[in-house]
Amino acid sequence: MDSVSVLTVTRRLLAFFRLTSYPVWAGLLLLLLLVQQLKTTATHVPLTVTEQAYISAHPVLSVCVDPDWLPFEGIDNNQQHVGIIADLLPLVASKAGLQIQLHPTKSWEESLLASKSGQCLALSALNQTPEREQWLIFTEPLLEDPNVLITRDDHPFISDIASLNNKTIALPSGTAMAELFARDFPNLTIVYTDSETQAMQMVSDGKVDLTLRSLIIAAHTIKNAGWYNLKVSGQVPGYSNQLRIGISQSEQTLRTILNHGIAALSEQERQQIMDRYLSLQVVSEVVTDYTLAYGLGILLLAVIGTSLFWMRRLSALNQQLSVMAQTDALTQLTNRHGLNLTLEKDLERAQRYQHPLSVMMIDIDHFKRVNDQYGHLTGDKVLVACSQLLKDNLRKSDIICRWGGEEFLVLCFETSQEQAAHLAELLLEKVRQHHFPEVDSVTMSAGVTQAMATDNPETLTQRADTLLYQAKNNGRNQVCVDSGIADLQPHTPATSA
């Protein structure tokens, strides 16, 4: 409605209400009309002449949606678009001066086919993938949401999905994640489903090991559907949902217009829409049937109790995931990532107060030969046994981690290089004397150095690693220390294996 139209309608309203006895209603209606006009004018984003001409020629945007993807979006019994995207999309369109027209479909696959055939110009919200780029161009993200792995309650936590073997994952066919997982994770067997609900049900029934789901939908669905035997078992970095509007490739101008609308969308507006679907809504009304009121009160308490239960559970899961991220799954020692979190602070503290801090880098000799001759399962058993021997014979103040492969790193606090070298000799002797059932005997080599005032974590560990390789080159089964720090010769055992 332009300013001339507004003026015309205003004059007619004033003429009408002058003939009536309702001046108050007249004023209110006039005020509402003017406010609505100001609101509409204020929300439009500035457009170029070309973009304005496009909208004049094509004011209505036909859109296909996913009819079964709540709370993101769906189509209800009245053939209306509902959900988070159903509120976001018209808001973006209105800011750009467009109107949305729904092209109803019965499934996501039908929506994709309708988009390919040109029955609708846009797909409401989807991830950008190479396959979809064959017929679509994409706007900036309308909404972002991480994906999480869902398993049964008895499944261990998943720190690295690429390390899973002989596992089945249920994924809805035609989705971006199904396309990406088929390409990137050949170690998994994908079972395609008609919907995400079916995928969750298959995990709950034990027919598949896991599925992938949006964090927003997982939290919403697990709670509302009562799948209390399911849990969040991990995340897959780099595979989050970046929901964009997909546009037919010929509509470059339309994409630019929609990007203007998305850019004008504030975080507050996004959050208000998210809260509408993911937060508890309390509606005040006069209740005369107290039985119903009591029932609603009990239901509300049950929902709050369930929410608190899942908040505590998810908090505990996050803590366990944090521990898993810092622990080596095979040896149960701290992993390299976990040690790096504290190494810099430990080194700075030792340098500041001039306290001795020594590092041992220890490696299993000829470990590749063990794997090649006896197999990787036996190699894993040897790694576990060696890590336990080292751990059991270290002091409580020492920190040991699996540095990588068959390499271990030990931090020795308040310990000089000479003392650390003596401790390393004792550790290597314990390994020599131990009987390994599968391979009989194993030896280890070690490099030992002490932190200097100019060291950082990289130089300190690199020096220990260099000394380890000196011990290897000198014949293995021995300790080599840093002669540049103390006048110590390489420690060679009295007997060698």
Side-chain angles (χ1 to χ4, degrees), residues 249-399:
Q249 284 186 340
S250 60
E251 304 298 322
Q252 298 281 346
T253 303
L254 175 58
R255 176 174 65 174
T256 304
I257 293 170
L258 289 172
N259 276 335
H260 290 323
I262 293 172
L265 194 64
S266 70
E267 284 305 314
Q268 182 180 6
E269 289 173 318
R270 279 193 179 92
Q271 194 59 50
Q272 286 175 347
I273 292 174
M274 297 282 286
D275 291 343
R276 194 178 305 158
Y277 290 90
L278 302 178
S279 299
L280 290 174
Q281 300 296 317
V282 181
V283 180
S284 300
E285 59 178 300
V286 177
V287 180
T288 56
D289 186 347
Y290 292 102
T291 302
L292 178 60
Y294 293 146
L296 290 174
I298 293 172
L299 178 61
L300 181 59
L301 288 174
V303 172
I304 294 173
T306 303
S307 299
L308 290 174
F309 168 78
W310 278 102
M311 285 172 62
R312 289 195 297 268
R313 187 159 188 176
L314 288 173
S315 177
L317 291 178
N318 288 333
Q319 290 178 2
Q320 293 183 46
L321 285 172
S322 178
V323 172
M324 290 288 292
Q326 300 177 37
T327 304
D328 178 60
L330 178 64
T331 63
Q332 296 303 305
L333 298 177
T334 300
N335 61 20
R336 187 167 182 169
H337 170 69
L339 184 70
N340 283 336
L341 293 177
T342 61
L343 179 56
E344 185 172 2
K345 292 181 180 178
D346 291 333
L347 178 58
E348 288 178 354
R349 189 180 301 111
Q351 292 168 333
R352 182 184 305 117
Y353 298 107
Q354 298 183 356
H355 289 182
L357 172 66
S358 294
V359 173
M360 302 180 200
M361 192 74 77
I362 307 175
D363 184 85
I364 302 174
D365 293 331
H366 300 298
F367 186 70
K368 184 177 184 301
R369 187 183 303 169
V370 173
N371 279 332
D372 292 344
Q373 186 172 351
Y374 300 99
H376 288 278
L377 290 178
T378 298
D380 287 347
K381 292 179 181 179
V382 170
L383 267 172
V384 171
C386 286
S387 66
Q388 194 61 47
L389 279 171
L390 296 176
K391 184 177 178 181
D392 290 345
N393 290 281
L394 285 169
R395 302 163 302 182
K396 291 183 179 180
S397 60
D398 299 326
I399 295 178

Side-chain angles (χ1 to χ4, degrees), residues 91-312:
L91 184 58
V92 169
S94 67
K95 289 177 182 292
L98 290 166
Q99 299 176 26
I100 298 296
Q101 183 179 65
L102 176 67
H103 180 85
T105 58
K106 295 180 180 179
S107 68
W108 178 237
E109 289 78 8
E110 188 178 330
S111 292
L112 292 175
L113 290 174
S115 170
K116 290 179 181 179
S117 63
Q119 298 178 53
C120 51
L121 281 182
L123 285 165
S124 56
L126 72 170
N127 287 294
Q128 183 174 353
T129 69
E131 180 179 334
R132 293 169 178 176
E133 287 173 345
Q134 294 178 13
W135 85 93
L136 293 174
I137 54 178
F138 292 86
T139 66
E140 294 300 314
L142 181 64
L143 187 67
E144 296 189 26
D145 179 42
N147 277 312
V148 293
L149 297 169
I150 307 295
T151 68
R152 287 173 62 88
D153 196 49
D154 55 358
H155 194 284
F157 290 96
I158 301 169
S159 58
D160 180 12
I161 193 171
S163 66
L164 296 179
N165 290 310
N166 301 319
K167 295 290 185 180
T168 53
I169 181 169
L171 295 172
S173 59
T175 60
M177 292 303 121
E179 178 185 337
L180 295 176
F181 268 53
R183 181 193 68 187
D184 298 339
F185 299 106
N187 55 305
L188 298 176
T189 300
I190 299 178
V191 177
Y192 294 99
T193 64
D194 295 330
S195 66
E196 290 187 327
T197 302
Q198 183 184 359
M200 295 279 280
Q201 188 66 56
M202 291 184 72
V203 178
S204 179
D205 294 341
K207 295 179 181 178
V208 295
D209 297 302
L210 64 154
T211 187
L212 187 80
R213 206 138 195 215
S214 149
L215 179 59
I216 289 176
I217 293 184
H220 177 270
T221 306
I222 289 176
K223 181 179 72 174
N224 291 336
W227 275 317
Y228 299 119
N229 66 333
L230 301 183
K231 70 178 182 182
V232 176
S233 286
Q235 292 191 15
V236 188
Y239 291 82
S240 62
N241 288 309
Q242 292 196 335
L243 302 180
R244 308 168 187 265
I245 304 172
I247 311 294
S248 297
Q249 284 186 340
S250 60
E251 304 298 322
Q252 298 281 346
T253 303
L254 175 58
R255 176 174 65 174
T256 304
I257 293 170
L258 289 172
N259 276 335
H260 290 323
I262 293 172
L265 194 64
S266 70
E267 284 305 314
Q268 182 180 6
E269 289 173 318
R270 279 193 179 92
Q271 194 59 50
Q272 286 175 347
I273 292 174
M274 297 282 286
D275 291 343
R276 194 178 305 158
Y277 290 90
L278 302 178
S279 299
L280 290 174
Q281 300 296 317
V282 181
V283 180
S284 300
E285 59 178 300
V286 177
V287 180
T288 56
D289 186 347
Y290 292 102
T291 302
L292 178 60
Y294 293 146
L296 290 174
I298 293 172
L299 178 61
L300 181 59
L301 288 174
V303 172
I304 294 173
T306 303
S307 299
L308 290 174
F309 168 78
W310 278 102
M311 285 172 62
R312 289 195 297 268

